[in-house]
Amino acid sequence: MTSSIGNVASLAVRAGESVVRQVWSAVEPSPGRPAGAGQPESGWLVVTVLGEPSDIDTAKLPAPLADFGEQLEVRVRAAADAKGTELGARLRTQPSGSALGRLSGSDPQADLRSALRRAKQLIEVGEVLAVDPAPHGERTATPGGALLEMWTKVAPKAGVR
């Protein structure tokens, strides 16, 4: 009995540490890894798509990118070593991303990352792939389960965390 309580406590502590690290990195970025690391200063976000540059028509973008309309700048070019095509996109006006915005999930750059991933899937496969819900039914309400649900809801915007 005590070992199961110890296991639950250990899991709760690790989950809490993870949340604190995520919040701290968003609020107080380190010089080595500024907030929003991985985003180039130019604002371009790029995915590599399987296919030729001529296969992607920038005038007729897939729905996830087309939804951005005129506020989006797109470029297409051959990837290095003929390994497909680079599809790059950036917002014409760079949003001032705040730590609170990133934590609440209302980050325009995150929306653009998500749209690029979905557009890549539409171009390569023809549909956006999704994981079916877990077949085992509803989870028991626990702190760990609530934390898992929270991360699952925001993960599609920023990828694997």
Side-chain angles (χ1 to χ4, degrees), residues 56-62 66:
I56 301 173
D57 182 11
T58 57
K60 202 173 173 189
L61 293 170

Side-chain angles (χ1 to χ4, degrees), residues 35 66 73 135 138 145:
E73 213 176 322
E138 293 185 27

Side-chain angles (χ1 to χ4, degrees), residues 136-149:
H136 61 274
E138 293 185 27
R139 291 186 198 102
T140 305
T142 62
L147 185 62
L148 177 62
E149 290 297 324

Side-chain angles (χ1 to χ4, degrees), residues 43-123:
W44 285 100
L45 298 172
V46 180
V47 293
T48 303
V49 179
L50 183 62
E52 297 297 318
S54 59
D55 295 342
I56 301 173
D57 182 11
T58 57
K60 202 173 173 189
L61 293 170
L65 292 176
D67 292 345
F68 281 89
E70 291 297 316
Q71 61 180 332
L72 190 67
E73 213 176 322
V74 177
R75 71 178 178 200
V76 176
R77 64 181 181 193
D81 295 330
K83 300 220 181 216
T85 301
E86 286 185 355
L87 172 62
R90 74 173 173 184
L91 297 171
R92 291 188 191 277
T93 57
Q94 292 301 317
S96 58
S98 68
L100 184 58
R102 286 190 300 276
L103 289 174
S104 68
S106 63
D107 182 13
Q109 284 291 102
D111 294 338
L112 180 56
R113 276 192 303 275
S114 177
L116 265 174
R117 277 195 308 277
R118 288 182 283 134
K120 172 186 169 77
Q121 290 179 15
L122 283 170
I123 292 167

